[in-house]
């Protein structure tokens, strides 16, 4: 027998907008948290009591008001491609799935304004058809939504030139608060830091304006090296050359290239590889740089095949981890930032401590305008204790870790955590938005 809040939700949204069947609830209560064996154990049994599927902002506001009255937790969901349990309901309640709010509202010079449920792959295709392209997007772009990326991601393809989400790539947002009468906020500037990578804990983002760039014709290249050091020096030199327009510079040591089954035949056993997206016409310069560092170009996908076939970006960022786990389910990963000046010493320290079981994977990015060798190392999982011993060692040699094995937001974010806490208190006084993802309690006696 339905309880009162369920009856009200059904009246508001109808059978298509409020779903209670167990199959849908199970499917939409999960994301890709299983990349982490730690999160897999903690989150695999979590389940929403209902799924809310609004089709417009009015239904979003009505749902939030109803949930507020009945003290029902609301966990927002985009495409469900996050890796930290961002979209997993820790305390039941409802999952608000926003995939039907998927209209591209406006494309202008240097920006695109869209509803939160637009898939990034759809937006990229539309932009390129009109002479533009996304500045940054994740490797999961075919499934990931704009809202999910902004609320749960950080960077991706394009970050080597355009930085991360915090680096001016989000221009504006429309956000709804979780109150008796939800407020509609139009947010820009510094205030955006309260909502980027906040997991929907500070408000429900329904519309976003993203920075875009002029369309470039991208060639994809695999460059092979005998060792990781040579591959890293090549990558850094390439990144620092402003004459070579870049969208992706991804550096991996062996055995990671062996996991990339569709392209493994192009990479010799024991080799390090660099996966690139650079502007059409840059092959001579790449070949020269590779030769200077003892490498060679092994495979080229011409620009006219870009996004037409399986691309190299499908093997970078956290897709690298996915291919590794497919090859060996005992593998997992870390997220880290190496020093831009002494990363080779850090690599040496780590390889001496862990000659086996740590396989290095770097994504070169501009972070706050500075070139950084960001890393998503693939590691062999033995136990949670061993994993955190490994994290402690990385940090002891100056490698900053953003822990991907916790669902709790922390100070690792580029956004101001204190500011996010302030927005949480102002917008969600009963702590009903994705509860458990921030360490906060209800205020004002709520």
């Amino acid at each position: 027998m339905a309880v009162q809040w369920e009856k009200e939700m059904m009246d508001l949204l109808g059978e298509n907008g409020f779903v209670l069947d167990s199959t849908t609830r199970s499917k939409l209560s999960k994301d890709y948290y299983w990349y982490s064996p730690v999160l897999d154990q903690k989150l695999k049994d979590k389940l929403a009591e209902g799924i809310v599927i609004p089709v417009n902002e009015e239904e979003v506001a009505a749902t939030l008001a109803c949930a507020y009255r009945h003290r029902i937790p609301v966990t927002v969901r985009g495409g469900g491609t996050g890796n930290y349990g961002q979209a997993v309901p820790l305390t039941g309640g409802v999952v608000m799935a926003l995939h039907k709010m998927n209209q591209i509202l406006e494309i202008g010079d240097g920006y695109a304004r869209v509803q939160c449920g637009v898939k990034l792959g759809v937006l990229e295709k539309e932009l390129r058809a009109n002479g533009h392209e996304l500045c940054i997007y994740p490797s999961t772009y075919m499934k990931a939504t704009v809202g999910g990326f902004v609320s749960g991601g950080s960077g991706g393809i394009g970050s080597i030139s355009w930085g991360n989400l915090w680096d001016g790539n989000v221009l504006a947002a429309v956000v709804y608060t979780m109150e008796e009468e939800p407020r509609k906020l139009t947010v820009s500037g510094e205030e955006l830091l309260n909502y980027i990578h906040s997991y929907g804990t500070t408000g429900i983002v329904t519309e976003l304006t993203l920075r875009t760039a002029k369309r470039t014709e991208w060639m994809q290249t695999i460059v092979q090296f005998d060792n990781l050091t040579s591959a890293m020096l090549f990558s850094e030199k390439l990144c620092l050359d402003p004459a070579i327009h870049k969208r992706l510079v991804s550096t991996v040591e062996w055995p990671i290239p062996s996991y990339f089954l569709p392209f493994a035949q192009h990479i010799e056993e024991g080799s390090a590889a660099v996966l690139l997206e650079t502007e059409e016409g840059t092959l001579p310069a790449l070949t020269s740089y590779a030769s200077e560092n003892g490498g060679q170009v092994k495979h080229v996908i011409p620009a006219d095949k870009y996004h037409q076939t399986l691309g190299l970006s499908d093997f970078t960022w956290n897709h690298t981890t996915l291919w590794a786990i497919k090859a060996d389910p005992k593998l997992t990963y870390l997220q880290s930032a190496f020093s831009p000046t002494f990363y080779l010493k850090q690599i040496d320290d780590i390889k001496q401590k862990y000659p086996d079981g740590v396989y290095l994977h770097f994504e070169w990015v501009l972070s706050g305008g500075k070139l950084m060798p960001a890393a998503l190392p693939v590691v062999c999982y033995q136990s949670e204790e061993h994993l955190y011993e490994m994290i402690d060692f990385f940090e002891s040699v100056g490698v900053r870790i953003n822990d991907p094995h916790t669902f709790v937001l922390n100070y690792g974010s580029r956004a101001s955590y204190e500011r996010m806490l302030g927005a949480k208190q102002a917008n969600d006084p009963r702590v009903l938005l994705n509860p458990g993802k921030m360490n906060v309690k209800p205020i004002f006696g709520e």
Side-chain angles (χ1 to χ4, degrees):
M1 184 175 179
V3 295
Q4 183 59 35
W5 72 267
E6 291 177 346
K7 292 179 181 177
E8 290 187 23
M9 288 287 187
M10 190 65 73
D11 288 341
L12 285 171
L13 302 166
E15 293 183 356
N16 293 327
F18 183 54
V19 182
L20 294 170
D21 73 87
S22 59
T23 300
T24 303
R25 288 190 293 119
S26 178
K27 178 182 178 182
L28 297 187
S29 293
K30 300 182 183 303
D31 59 17
Y32 282 61
Y33 60 79
W34 49 264
Y35 276 34
S36 163
V38 176
L39 291 180
D40 189 41
Q41 289 300 310
K42 293 179 179 179
L43 299 178
K44 62 183 178 180
D45 296 325
K46 301 300 182 183
L47 186 66
E49 297 165 69
I51 306 296
V52 173
I53 310 174
V55 297
N56 54 46
E57 291 187 359
E58 290 74 22
E59 289 188 349
V60 169
T63 298
L64 292 173
C66 177
Y68 183 87
R69 289 194 302 273
H70 294 280
R71 299 177 185 266
I72 303 300
V74 176
T75 302
V76 69
R77 175 189 175 89
T81 59
N83 305 118
Y84 326 120
Q86 298 103 310
V88 176
L90 300 181
T91 56
V94 299
V95 164
M96 181 181 285
L98 294 172
H99 57 275
K100 288 190 176 180
M101 294 179 60
N102 58 4
Q103 298 300 306
I104 297 174
L105 303 173
E106 182 182 4
I107 292 176
D109 185 15
Y111 71 92
R113 186 170 64 89
V114 300
Q115 289 185 313
C116 58
V118 171
K119 290 183 178 180
L120 287 154
V122 172
L123 180 56
E124 170 79 349
K125 182 177 181 180
E126 183 68 17
L127 285 168
R128 289 183 68 82
N130 287 278
H132 310 282
E133 65 185 23
L134 289 165
C135 287
I136 63 171
Y137 58 90
S139 60
T140 55
Y141 72 105
M142 293 305 293
K143 294 183 178 180
T145 65
V146 174
F149 179 43
V150 171
S151 296
S154 55
I157 294 88
S159 287
I160 183 56
S161 293
W162 297 100
N164 293 319
L165 287 168
W166 297 273
D167 294 309
N169 289 305
V170 183
L171 302 178
V174 172
V175 181
Y176 279 83
T177 65
M178 181 66 163
E179 300 174 275
E180 185 175 3
E181 294 184 6
R183 289 171 290 138
K184 179 179 179 177
L185 309 177
T186 301
V187 180
S188 60
E190 289 292 311
E191 196 175 354
L192 285 165
L193 298 180
N194 300 335
Y195 305 99
I196 295 174
H197 200 73
S198 68
Y199 300 0
T201 59
T202 55
I204 302 294
V205 176
T206 59
E207 182 184 305
L208 286 153
T209 304
L210 301 183
R211 178 167 65 174
T212 63
K214 182 180 178 181
R215 171 175 168 154
T216 296
E217 303 307 315
W218 298 107
M219 174 185 69
Q220 301 169 78
T221 314
I222 297 176
V223 187
Q224 175 184 293
F225 295 86
D226 290 339
N227 55 74
L228 179 62
T229 296
S230 296
M232 291 294 286
L233 292 173
F234 162 82
S235 300
E236 181 179 17
K237 187 173 183 179
L238 176 65
C239 291
L240 291 172
D241 186 346
I244 300 179
H245 192 22
K246 299 162 284 285
R247 206 178 200 190
L248 177 70
V249 180
S250 179
T251 311
V252 291
E253 72 167 330
W254 191 266
I256 293 174
S258 69
Y259 304 147
F260 303 157
L261 298 183
F263 292 105
Q265 72 271 22
H266 301 295
I267 306 166
E268 296 174 12
E269 185 173 355
S271 299
V274 183
L275 279 59
L276 300 171
E277 290 184 7
T278 61
E279 189 171 11
E280 186 177 29
T282 56
L283 185 58
L286 295 182
T287 302
S288 176
Y289 275 162
S291 179
E292 290 171 9
N293 288 275
Q296 54 184 317
V297 174
K298 298 293 289 186
H299 185 62
V300 177
I301 304 174
D304 62 1
K305 300 296 185 184
Y306 194 62
H307 289 339
Q308 302 300 313
T309 61
L310 188 67
L312 296 186
S313 69
D314 293 303
F315 302 85
T316 65
W317 289 85
N318 241 346
H319 261 71
T320 305
T321 309
L322 179 60
W323 284 96
I325 293 172
K326 285 182 177 180
D328 184 351
K330 296 189 298 295
L331 296 175
T332 185
Y333 74 118
L334 298 176
Q335 290 183 323
S336 55
F338 280 61
S339 166
T341 54
F342 57 92
Y343 63 83
L344 291 178
K345 176 64 166 59
Q346 292 173 323
I347 290 173
D348 186 58
D349 289 341
I350 289 167
K351 299 308 289 186
Q352 287 192 38
K353 175 70 173 178
Y354 300 103
D356 299 303
V358 175
Y359 312 128
L360 293 175
H361 160 210
F362 290 87
E363 298 290 346
W364 293 80
V365 304
L366 285 182
S367 181
K370 297 180 180 179
L371 179 65
M372 296 288 295
L376 295 93
V378 174
V379 302
C380 293
Y381 182 76
Q382 299 179 21
S383 66
E384 185 173 355
E385 180 182 23
H386 178 262
L387 183 67
Y388 280 94
E389 288 174 357
M390 190 180 296
I391 288 173
D392 288 342
F393 181 79
F394 270 65
E395 292 181 333
S396 76
V397 298
V399 176
R400 189 180 78 246
I401 296 290
N402 294 323
D403 186 2
H405 302 283
T406 178
F407 51 74
V408 180
L409 281 164
N410 55 44
Y411 289 86
S413 171
R414 277 269 304 281
S416 168
Y417 190 71
E418 289 80 6
R419 286 190 52 152
M420 287 170 60
L421 286 174
K424 176 74 168 174
Q425 292 176 335
N427 298 345
D428 182 24
R430 287 183 172 170
V431 190
L432 293 170
L433 289 176
N434 211 349
K437 307 294 171 62
M438 293 181 79
N439 291 319
V440 294
K441 296 178 180 180
I443 60 172
F444 307 133
E446 295 284 353

